[in-house]
Amino acid sequence: TNQATRTLTNAREDHRKANEKDFELSDLRAESQDDDGVEQISTLQRLDDATRRVRDALLYVQDRVTFYDTVVTDMGAQSKDASGLLARAAAASASAAAESAVSDEVLEYVGTEVARLNYETATVLGQTLRRVDVRQRHIETRQGRC
């Protein structure tokens, strides 16, 4: 059976190579027309549109989670303080050496803030998933009673 499978697979691949052209980068950018003459957008443009929709959906979910979040933390004040510190550090760096590379202090601060935001994001995501899990169990329990 392995020999037969290999034979059929090889024959299918040979048939595909003979009847279909290889996919190239220019195929991603090329706009085409369907059989009815209607203009079709390029594959790359469709991918870009889908990526934008996913990004917009993510931002909407983040907005809704922030709106309905009932956990009160002091992170809001820290974020404002951090933004001010980052702005002052960036302004000081720019005025000190407009043409030079970014100072190590700013890079370290930005790295620290990115790590903090990563932790905050993971925490919020964990809390959100726990809430969704509790709601799902509640819904399933209610459906089980009916």
Side-chain angles (χ1 to χ4, degrees):
T1 60
N2 287 338
Q3 179 64 35
T5 303
R6 264 195 318 270
T7 302
L8 288 174
T9 302
N10 290 339
R12 183 175 347 136
E13 185 62 23
D14 291 341
H15 177 74
R16 186 197 62 78
K17 284 180 182 178
N19 294 318
E20 296 177 10
K21 72 174 198 153
D22 289 334
F23 193 76
E24 297 176 357
L25 181 60
S26 60
D27 296 331
L28 284 175
R29 295 185 183 131
E31 294 185 4
S32 61
Q33 292 183 352
D34 61 7
D35 295 335
D36 298 332
V38 177
E39 184 99 1
Q40 298 267 337
I41 61 173
S42 69
T43 305
L44 195 57
Q45 185 63 41
R46 284 196 312 268
L47 178 64
D48 186 52
D49 292 344
T51 304
R52 287 178 197 276
R53 284 194 304 273
V54 168
R55 183 206 57 207
D56 292 345
L58 175 65
L59 292 175
Y60 174 77
V61 168
Q62 180 186 10
D63 182 52
R64 294 290 85 198
V65 167
T66 303
F67 181 77
Y68 288 110
D69 189 12
T70 57
V71 178
V72 178
T73 63
D74 295 330
M75 292 312 242
Q78 290 178 359
S79 292
K80 289 178 184 172
D81 293 341
S83 298
L85 288 173
L86 182 58
R88 284 192 295 277
S93 176
S95 65
E99 297 296 323
S100 68
V102 177
S103 72
D104 290 339
E105 182 180 320
V106 172
L107 289 175
E108 182 180 336
Y109 182 78
V110 169
T112 303
E113 288 302 305
V114 167
R116 184 185 62 79
L117 288 172
N118 186 22
Y119 173 77
E120 286 179 22
T121 303
T123 303
V124 169
L125 181 60
Q127 291 171 353
T128 303
L129 289 175
R130 272 188 249 118
R131 282 190 208 109
V132 168
D133 209 23
V134 167
R135 288 177 184 160
Q136 182 65 30
R137 274 190 256 130
H138 178 71
I139 290 169
E140 288 174 356
T141 303
R142 287 178 51 195
Q143 288 177 345
R145 290 184 205 155
C146 295

